[in-house]
Amino acid sequence: MKITKKRQRNKLARLASGVCFFLITTNVYANKNLSNQEIDSSVFQKLVNNGRIDRVVYKEPNLEPELCPDSALGDFVRDVWTSSDEPVFIAESLFYLPKEDGVVENEIPFISKIMRSISTMEGISYFSNSSGKIETLYNRAYTIDNPDDMNKIPDKIDVPADNLSLYVYQEDNSFGDTVYKADIRQTENEVAMVLRSVEPIKFGFINAVKRNNLTMSFLFMDKGEYIITYIYAQLKFPALSIFESKVNESFRARIDAIYNWFVDSYMYHTQTNEKE
């Protein structure tokens, strides 16, 4: 599979198509007698019925994830905080995406390549509640050789994904220049990626987030007829009102934007049979 910027053309139109497919087929599959051993039965039924479940916690005692699947890579995406500071904000989302009718093949190798195609995240959009309009989440996005030299290199989509580490640069609409270390694990039926900030992050001119004080985890599980996606963000930032509303909106928006980017890429390549 080769993912290029050319395939980003008409991305908003394809995104609308992909999301519509997601919503329509979710309702179709909701009546199936499905089960999932990695997710609590009541949570899973709600997930199938609604298509997604979200949870956001800020400055409360229970800052532990509750939606993370109990799967082979569940612990890998759940226990990722390494900073000596404690997070004050977490956001987690669980998504249910049915495959096209009759498709049951394992698509983890394909999904893994999508997640490693960092450069295709450049230009993805989200709706900003503060500005009331569509904005670009990442003005630039690509894989780099290391945080010191920051030389752009090709996305690592043609190498084995298990126990793979790489560095990601993103020019973020909210956070400015950001650099992450990405650790990737892959099994037969799951792929996971954990992003950890390796440089301080600014809000305007203020260094608001220290190194290692922001993590985002992604877990994809192929369940035959459907795909489960789990996204988990953790953040430590100063208890200032100027940050609180910004962070809450920003992380909700970026979870939606990143998941929609995944659905867009997945649906586009599935419909055009471009999985190799």
Side-chain angles (χ1 to χ4, degrees):
M1 179 190 72
K2 184 179 180 181
I3 298 178
T4 66
K5 290 185 179 179
K6 181 178 180 181
R7 292 172 182 168
Q8 290 293 300
R9 292 180 305 176
N10 302 320
K11 61 179 177 295
L12 291 179
R14 297 203 308 272
L15 174 59
S17 174
V19 172
C20 286
F21 175 88
F22 166 62
L23 294 175
I24 292 170
T25 51
T26 294
N27 291 332
V28 171
Y29 276 72
N31 293 324
K32 281 199 167 189
N33 183 24
L34 299 172
S35 62
N36 190 302
Q37 295 179 344
E38 293 86 2
I39 302 173
D40 179 85
S41 58
S42 61
V43 173
F44 181 66
Q45 189 57 54
K46 180 180 178 182
L47 177 63
V48 174
N49 289 338
N50 298 333
R52 67 182 292 170
I53 301 175
D54 301 285
R55 177 174 174 261
V56 176
V57 183
Y58 174 56
K59 290 200 302 188
E60 294 183 13
N62 182 18
L63 282 174
E64 297 296 327
E66 294 183 353
L67 302 178
C68 185
D70 185 16
S71 67
L73 293 179
D75 287 343
F76 174 67
V77 299
R78 181 191 299 110
D79 301 322
V80 298
W81 192 260
T82 59
S83 171
S84 58
D85 299 320
E86 292 297 322
V88 297
F89 173 92
I90 68 170
E92 53 180 344
S93 294
L94 199 59
F95 299 90
Y96 170 83
L97 177 65
K99 299 180 182 179
E100 291 182 322
D101 195 19
V103 176
V104 295
E105 66 184 74
N106 186 343
E107 298 184 302
I108 286 299
F110 168 54
I111 293 171
S112 175
K113 288 186 176 182
I114 291 177
M115 292 308 297
R116 286 177 280 147
S117 300
I118 303 300
S119 61
T120 68
M121 301 179 78
E122 187 169 301
I124 64 174
S125 302
Y126 72 105
F127 181 78
S128 171
N129 287 318
S130 59
S131 65
K133 63 181 181 180
I134 299 293
E135 296 186 351
T136 299
L137 179 59
Y138 301 125
N139 294 303
R140 291 185 294 168
Y142 46 82
T143 306
I144 59 175
D145 54 355
N146 61 70
D148 295 323
D149 299 322
M150 292 186 60
N151 294 314
K152 182 178 180 180
I153 62 173
D155 293 327
K156 294 188 176 182
I157 59 174
D158 295 322
V159 298
D162 189 34
N163 293 316
L164 174 67
S165 294
L166 52 90
Y167 289 97
V168 174
Y169 166 79
Q170 293 171 332
E171 183 185 337
D172 190 294
N173 188 49
S174 296
F175 301 150
D177 295 330
T178 56
V179 179
Y180 300 94
K181 182 182 180 184
D183 293 303
I184 300 166
R185 302 290 183 271
Q186 185 172 324
T187 66
E188 181 180 358
N189 298 307
E190 299 178 42
V191 62
M193 179 168 72
V194 174
L195 297 177
R196 294 182 178 88
S197 61
V198 297
E199 299 290 346
I201 294 175
K202 293 184 178 181
F203 283 114
F205 297 101
I206 302 174
N207 284 329
V209 182
K210 297 178 183 178
R211 181 178 181 270
N212 288 328
N213 278 8
L214 187 160
T215 67
M216 289 195 72
S217 305
F218 306 87
L219 172 64
F220 297 85
M221 304 166 59
D222 190 306
K223 303 300 293 182
E225 293 182 344
Y226 59 93
I227 296 166
I228 296 294
T229 303
Y230 175 70
I231 302 178
Y232 177 41
Q234 300 174 90
L235 181 64
K236 165 66 176 179
F237 61 94
L240 300 174
S241 59
I242 189 175
F243 300 136
E244 293 177 0
S245 60
K246 182 76 171 178
V247 165
N248 189 34
E249 176 195 340
S250 177
F251 273 89
R252 286 176 178 268
R254 74 188 49 245
I255 286 175
D256 287 349
I258 293 172
Y259 183 70
N260 287 339
W261 161 77
F262 162 70
V263 172
D264 180 35
S265 299
Y266 174 81
M267 293 306 305
Y268 177 70
H269 294 287
T270 296
Q271 292 168 358
T272 55
N273 295 316
E274 295 186 7
K275 293 186 181 180
E276 301 298 332

